Each structure stands twice: as structure tokens, then as C-alpha cells.
Amino acid sequence: MNTDESQAGWDYRLVEVYSGRGDGVTVTIICNGKRIIVDFLPTESLDGTIEGPLIARYGAAILDEDVDEIDAAQQEIDDLIYTAGKRIFARLAPPLATGSQLGNLHSLLYPETISFRFATIDGKAELLKQDCDSYLEHTHPPLFQINNDLGLPKFSSDSIHVLEEIQGEGAITRVLVDGLERCCKSGEPFYWEAVAREADCLWKIARSKHALSIRVPKLTGLVTSADNGQTIGILEEYIPTDLKDLCTLRDVDTATINISRKKWASQIREMVHLMHEIGVVWGGGKPRNVLIHKDTDDAWLIDFGGSWTDGWVDEDLRETREGDEQAVGRIFDFLGV
């Protein structure tokens, strides 16, 4: 979206479009550090409204799994919201001072939230402010249990400084904790189960006889909510790398790294084998989840949140040893070894 405000330093991003069956469409936007929720609610008649046909169009695209139509509808939704709300957003969520976009983790995970309902009034698109308590009830996690036999220190979310957003709205971040760079995993409700699985896998590896042979990030701490002290995430060792991950090999002069490909492939296969010996399934096998340490040129495995990725693990093999083995084989093919 090309806007005057974006050129003036605005941070305006559509981050989620959700549609339930017959429930309309709910859009989440981040605007200058604040979360804006816009509901497109179904109407009794599609006639004479802007939102009615758009809700129907988006719902049909979702049912048909028409990616191009979904993208087009989302773009139209985004444009409508911005056009109707730009003056409101300028007042309620003004641009932040230069360099202040990233603050502490708590403000990133739980930004001030403003909710609107999109409505057609006298043929014009309007955003009507509404109560957002029902939304906020679902933004904090259920009881989140992490095995802390390792005696990990706990850090409040408002004491953790965010250096970089790696994924999602705080799902994965590079942070500074007590002067040390760490990787933090926390975030929105859909991600909490994955965080718990990752913590469990890393804990099992750390307590195993193969702890020194399986190169995975070490757990270094737990993140607690500044609101209630509840555990909401984990801190891990941050792995320094010149290559972001194996996928970025295509952007590197292959002549300089071809000699390492066989070593990396062998290391990945051996580490997955050792993990299976101690009952740990990677569940995230793909090149993007392999980092190459910039100091040692060794492969490290990351992302133990589970699930599967099309093209690397078949869905019916998700979170199984067979799925890991399939992923390793395909990584070998990717590396050309």
C-alpha cells in the first residue's frame, strides 16, 4: 500500500485476516506499535452495503482455496480499512519517534488494542469504535507448564529488550537479556503449544547422554508475563550465523561452500539419529530450520515446535521418526549430496 503516511515513517501492517463460517471477517493491523482490530460483520441483506459483498467474496475464496482471489480480497479489505480509517489512525496511533519501534517484549506481545466495526453509512465506508474486552480475554495464554528441572532463571517480559522481530508479532524475536543476545519464543495463542513442545524437546536433549553431540540451542531462561507472572515463553541460546539458514545457500557463491555440503548433510543425519535414540522427534525438518554456525561451520538444528512443511514432510508423517527421515533425505537432495 502506497501512502503518504508510510513515507513519513508510519509502521502500518496487515498481519491477519480471519474468517469463521458465517461470522464475517476480522482483520488485525499493527499501526505504529498499536494493534487495531476491524470487524466486518455479516448483514441481513447484501444490498446497499460495502461489507456484505466483500464478506461473501472472501468467504467463497476461502472455501475454494483460491489463493489469488484470497490475496485480492485481502488487498481490497486492507485498502478499504486504510481509506476509511487513516484520519482516525493518525489521531489514535500516531507515528513513533525514529528508532523507537522496538521496545520491550511485553509491549510487542500485548500492544494497546483498539477495536472498530466496519459499516456502510449513507453509502460511505466508516469505522465505528467498539469495545474490545472480548478480544483481550483471548490474548493471554492458558496455563503454560514448562518443565524447569534445569533451574532456568525467569525474566519478566517488560525487562526483555527486542532487537529484531524474526517471525510473527513477537512469536520469535532476537532479544537482549542481561546484556546477552538470546532467541525468544512466545507470541499469539496459536503458537503456545509449539513453544511448549520445543521446550520439552530441548529439555530432553539437554538431559540426555548425547547432549554434547546434538547441536541445538540451549534453553537459557523462561519468560514470564509482567502482568501476572505466568510463564509465556522461553529463551534460547542465539546461534550466530553468516548464512541465515540452508535456504540462503542459493544466494551464496557455491564454489566457496560446496566442500561443506557433505559435512553438513552428514551432521544433520547423525543428529537426527541420536535424537531418535533418546525419543525426540524433530518435527521441523527442512533447510530453513538448519543454521550454520559462523565460527565453527557446523550445522545446528532449530525449530522443535512440530507440525510439517509441504515438500519436506508428508502430512501423514508429521511429528514422526519416519517424517524426520523423509525430511533428512530431502535435505540431502537439496544439498546435492
Side-chain angles (χ1 to χ4, degrees), residues 201-329:
C201 289
L202 296 182
W203 175 83
K204 288 178 180 177
I205 293 170
R207 297 294 297 268
S208 77
K209 61 183 179 181
H210 297 311
L212 297 179
S213 300
I214 303 173
R215 285 178 297 280
V216 297
K218 293 182 177 63
L219 287 170
T220 62
L222 301 180
V223 180
T224 59
S225 169
D227 289 334
N228 55 27
Q230 183 176 326
T231 300
I232 59 172
I234 58 177
L235 294 168
E236 302 175 4
E237 179 182 11
Y238 184 78
I239 309 303
T241 176
D242 290 327
L243 290 172
K244 183 178 179 182
D245 49 55
L246 282 188
C247 281
T248 54
L249 284 175
R250 62 174 62 93
D251 301 323
V252 180
D253 177 13
T254 55
T256 64
I257 46 84
N258 274 341
I259 193 171
S260 296
R261 289 174 183 259
K262 288 185 178 180
K263 181 184 77 170
W264 296 336
S266 177
Q267 289 177 338
I268 294 166
R269 179 171 57 191
E270 177 63 15
M271 287 189 288
V272 170
H273 172 72
L274 293 177
M275 288 194 302
H276 289 176
E277 277 193 8
I278 60 174
V280 173
V281 172
W282 186 8
K286 58 182 177 181
R288 194 169 297 282
N289 289 336
V290 179
L291 302 182
I292 306 302
H293 199 293
K294 72 175 185 178
D295 296 327
T296 65
D297 195 47
D298 288 322
W300 287 62
L301 306 184
I302 63 169
D303 192 354
F304 289 80
S307 194
W308 60 285
T309 300
D310 189 31
W312 299 104
V313 177
D314 294 343
E315 184 175 8
D316 61 343
L317 296 180
R318 61 183 294 171
E319 298 177 24
T320 65
R321 293 187 179 192
E322 293 78 11
D324 280 358
E325 291 164 359
Q326 182 182 66
V328 170

Side-chain angles (χ1 to χ4, degrees), residues 147-154 203 207 220-222:
N147 189 326
N148 197 20
D149 286 356
L150 297 175
L152 299 172
K154 297 182 178 182
W203 175 83
R207 297 294 297 268
T220 62
L222 301 180

Side-chain angles (χ1 to χ4, degrees), residues 12-304:
Y12 180 94
R13 293 170 281 142
L14 186 151
V15 296
E16 183 181 46
V17 179
Y18 173 78
S19 177
R21 293 186 177 182
D23 295 333
V25 176
T26 297
V27 182
T28 302
I29 290 166
I30 294 296
C31 182
N32 300 323
K34 296 184 180 181
R35 179 189 280 124
I36 295 174
I37 308 297
V38 181
D39 289 325
F40 288 70
L41 301 178
T43 56
E44 293 183 3
S45 172
L46 300 181
D47 297 334
T49 69
I50 298 170
E51 63 271 25
L54 187 54
I55 292 170
R57 175 189 177 191
Y58 188 73
I62 293 293
L63 288 175
D64 294 340
E65 298 182 354
D66 186 334
V67 176
D68 290 338
E69 180 64 8
I70 290 172
D71 289 344
Q74 286 186 351
Q75 184 61 59
E76 183 177 349
I77 289 169
D78 192 16
D79 290 343
L80 279 171
I81 291 173
Y82 181 78
T83 300
K86 57 184 177 181
R87 288 185 175 84
I88 301 173
F89 301 158
R91 176 169 51 85
L92 297 180
L96 300 171
T98 302
S100 64
Q101 281 78 3
L102 294 179
N104 65 59
L105 181 66
H106 195 82
S107 63
L108 178 63
L109 293 176
Y110 310 114
E112 179 183 344
T113 300
I114 309 167
S115 183
F116 297 92
R117 177 172 63 87
F118 185 98
T120 303
I121 299 177
D122 296 331
K124 294 178 59 178
E126 301 280 356
L127 295 186
L128 306 179
K129 202 160 184 282
Q130 62 182 4
D131 182 82
C132 60
D133 288 347
S134 60
Y135 173 82
L136 294 176
E137 288 175 1
H138 302 287
T139 59
H140 288 270
L143 191 58
F144 186 42
Q145 297 290 347
I146 294 288
N147 189 326
N148 197 20
D149 286 356
L150 297 175
L152 299 172
K154 297 182 178 182
F155 300 91
S156 176
S157 54
D158 62 359
S159 71
I160 298 172
H161 181 71
V162 178
L163 300 175
E164 177 188 3
E165 291 182 60
I166 298 174
Q167 179 179 311
E169 301 305 306
I172 305 178
T173 50
R174 181 170 64 92
V175 299
L176 195 65
V177 182
D178 282 353
L180 299 173
E181 283 192 38
R182 299 297 187 209
C183 178
C184 177
K185 297 198 173 183
S186 185
E188 296 295 334
F190 73 91
Y191 200 69
W192 289 320
E193 185 176 338
V195 173
R197 184 186 191 277
E198 171 136 351
D200 183 61
C201 289
L202 296 182
W203 175 83
K204 288 178 180 177
I205 293 170
R207 297 294 297 268
S208 77
K209 61 183 179 181
H210 297 311
L212 297 179
S213 300
I214 303 173
R215 285 178 297 280
V216 297
K218 293 182 177 63
L219 287 170
T220 62
L222 301 180
V223 180
T224 59
S225 169
D227 289 334
N228 55 27
Q230 183 176 326
T231 300
I232 59 172
I234 58 177
L235 294 168
E236 302 175 4
E237 179 182 11
Y238 184 78
I239 309 303
T241 176
D242 290 327
L243 290 172
K244 183 178 179 182
D245 49 55
L246 282 188
C247 281
T248 54
L249 284 175
R250 62 174 62 93
D251 301 323
V252 180
D253 177 13
T254 55
T256 64
I257 46 84
N258 274 341
I259 193 171
S260 296
R261 289 174 183 259
K262 288 185 178 180
K263 181 184 77 170
W264 296 336
S266 177
Q267 289 177 338
I268 294 166
R269 179 171 57 191
E270 177 63 15
M271 287 189 288
V272 170
H273 172 72
L274 293 177
M275 288 194 302
H276 289 176
E277 277 193 8
I278 60 174
V280 173
V281 172
W282 186 8
K286 58 182 177 181
R288 194 169 297 282
N289 289 336
V290 179
L291 302 182
I292 306 302
H293 199 293
K294 72 175 185 178
D295 296 327
T296 65
D297 195 47
D298 288 322
W300 287 62
L301 306 184
I302 63 169
D303 192 354
F304 289 80

